[in-house]
Amino acid sequence: MDSGTLSTDEVGAFDLQSTLESGQTYLWGREDGSMYDRGDAYGGDAKYTTVVRPENAPPGDPLGTKVGPQVVRVRQIDDCLEWEATFDAETTLRRRLRLDDDLAAIRAATSDDSILQAAFDRYWGMRVVRDPPFETLISFICSAQMRVSRIYDMQRSLADEFGESVTVDDHTYHAFPTPDALASATESQLRDLGLGYRAPYVQRSAEMVASGEGHPAEAAGMAYEDARESLTQFVGVGEKVADCVALFSLGFLQAVPLDTWIRTTIAEYFPECDRGNYAETSRAIRERLGGEYAGYAQTYVFHHLRNDGTERSD
DNA sequence: TAGATACCTTATAG
DNA sequence: ACTATAAGGTATC
């Protein structure tokens, strides 16, 4: 196993638990098994694991020289991010966790509204993630009308059932399924995993990618609103899910997914931004929150409201 | 083209 | 215990 460390001196403030347990990514698991278990506790120094595929690596990433699924584990001890992996994972971690983002500059470019500043203060160091496009597409197709903890369970079930396995240190992990694997699944098999009406959406969208009809990564080079429109070609993907893929995978930091939480926030704090339809409301709240970094603002507000809004965690 | 409705499943509130 | 409601919406009519 390779290993290494990254400190805040190198990458600025970061908060691993908030980054990985804020409903942005469903590709990591906690070694203690309590991912998204509220109630049980603080995972400040928990160890997180994910399985990555060499074919998802950008040019120059040491990951790209490997064959078959690879494993990365990370934990945060105070100001230090410690990792161990079956390859030299620093490049991958910097990219996937957006460790090169200048958080202070991003915050400075967003609005000074109290709700947003409270979220920044509370979870300072949280990063927007940059997950692989296909994985993100499927995860957020599954997210429709679903709680975060259940979305996570569903992705875990998909991986266990259809993903390639890899064993490290006597522990077996499963990679996220390939487009081929999910395209070959039947609706009935997917319903058995509890996907409900999302089952045919997942199968058909996977089939589109597997057959070459389209790929979510193709939207990366487009102008933001064209990218969002393009992503809705996939079955089960409307404007909201398209924004999630744009933000959490394709690097469109201006994307603000209009979910139930942000809609509540708009009604309460920014009623003038409600323009009656998705596209116009999206533009208004994007300009209001932070323009090119509005998606970062949304991610902080979402996590803050979901974590501290209605429930008492203490 | 805008608006209403059905849709799987499960955790939680009442 | 039992029912109603809502959960990071979308497709269809």
Side-chain angles (χ1 to χ4, degrees):
Chain A
M1 297 276 274
D2 286 17
S3 63
T5 60
L6 287 158
S7 74
T8 53
D9 290 339
E10 301 169 70
V11 301
F14 58 76
D15 178 340
L16 185 65
Q17 179 180 21
S18 294
T19 301
L20 298 184
E21 299 197 59
S22 51
Q24 306 179 56
T25 175
Y26 299 93
L27 304 179
W28 293 79
R30 264 171 72 159
E31 290 289 325
D32 64 11
S34 60
M35 194 78 171
Y36 288 119
D37 267 5
R38 300 218 240 154
D40 167 78
Y42 181 57
D45 58 351
K47 190 176 287 187
Y48 297 87
T49 303
T50 192
V51 179
V52 296
R53 294 190 158 282
E55 52 267 40
N56 284 331
D61 191 329
L63 170 61
T65 65
K66 295 285 184 172
V67 174
Q70 304 293 310
V71 173
V72 190
R73 295 200 190 101
V74 187
R75 72 171 171 174
Q76 180 171 5
I77 302 294
D78 298 321
D79 289 338
C80 193
L81 198 59
E82 303 176 351
W83 62 265
E84 56 180 359
T86 54
F87 65 102
D88 178 359
E90 182 172 328
T91 304
T92 293
L93 288 173
R94 281 182 180 269
R95 179 176 176 83
R96 291 280 295 265
L97 304 180
R98 296 197 68 107
L99 294 176
D100 295 327
D101 283 346
D102 183 343
L103 277 187
I106 288 169
R107 180 171 183 167
T110 56
S111 85
D112 58 0
D113 292 285
S114 60
I115 180 70
L116 177 54
Q117 294 306 317
F120 272 127
D121 285 339
R122 179 89 171 79
Y123 295 104
W124 187 239
M126 179 172 69
R127 307 299 172 114
V128 164
V129 299
R130 191 204 311 268
D131 275 339
F134 177 72
E135 285 81 336
T136 308
L137 180 76
I138 298 300
S139 294
F140 282 92
I141 285 173
C142 291
S143 76
Q145 295 291 99
M146 200 50 68
R147 285 157 212 270
V148 166
S149 59
R150 283 205 60 217
I151 301 166
Y152 173 75
D153 289 341
M154 289 163 54
Q155 306 317 303
R156 185 46 69 94
S157 298
L158 285 174
D160 288 346
E161 191 71 21
F162 298 104
E164 187 175 351
S165 66
V166 52
T167 300
V168 176
D169 293 344
D170 250 10
H171 195 303
T172 297
Y173 303 95
H174 291 267
F176 196 88
T178 61
D180 280 331
L182 289 180
S184 301
T186 65
E187 175 180 337
S188 168
Q189 282 179 299
L190 296 173
R191 280 181 183 269
D192 287 344
L193 297 182
L195 298 206
Y197 62 77
R198 303 156 196 81
Y201 299 166
V202 167
Q203 191 279 329
R204 291 172 61 194
S205 284
E207 198 165 55
M208 290 173 71
V209 176
S211 71
E213 180 179 345
H215 196 292
E218 292 165 357
M222 302 177 185
Y224 161 58
E225 292 193 349
D226 292 338
R228 189 178 65 197
E229 170 64 22
S230 171
L231 289 165
T232 63
Q233 74 181 286
F234 297 101
V235 186
V237 179
E239 291 169 304
K240 186 272 177 184
V241 169
D243 264 335
C244 289
V245 177
L247 177 60
F248 301 132
S249 175
L250 304 184
F252 288 99
L253 296 182
Q254 68 269 58
V256 178
L258 299 184
D259 56 57
T260 55
W261 293 92
I262 201 70
R263 285 179 184 280
T264 299
T265 304
I266 289 172
E268 188 167 345
Y269 296 90
F270 313 106
E272 73 283 1
C273 289
D274 185 353
R275 303 296 164 80
N277 65 76
Y278 194 100
E280 293 301 324
T281 302
S282 172
R283 268 181 212 156
I285 194 65
R286 188 159 69 250
E287 289 313 310
R288 186 71 182 75
L289 285 181
E292 63 179 324
Y293 298 121
Y296 242 105
Q298 185 271 0
T299 301
Y300 269 86
V301 170
F302 174 88
H303 189 50
H304 180 43
L305 292 179
R306 204 180 71 82
N307 249 14
D308 312 314
T310 52
E311 302 180 30
R312 291 274 59 85
S313 53
D314 53 347

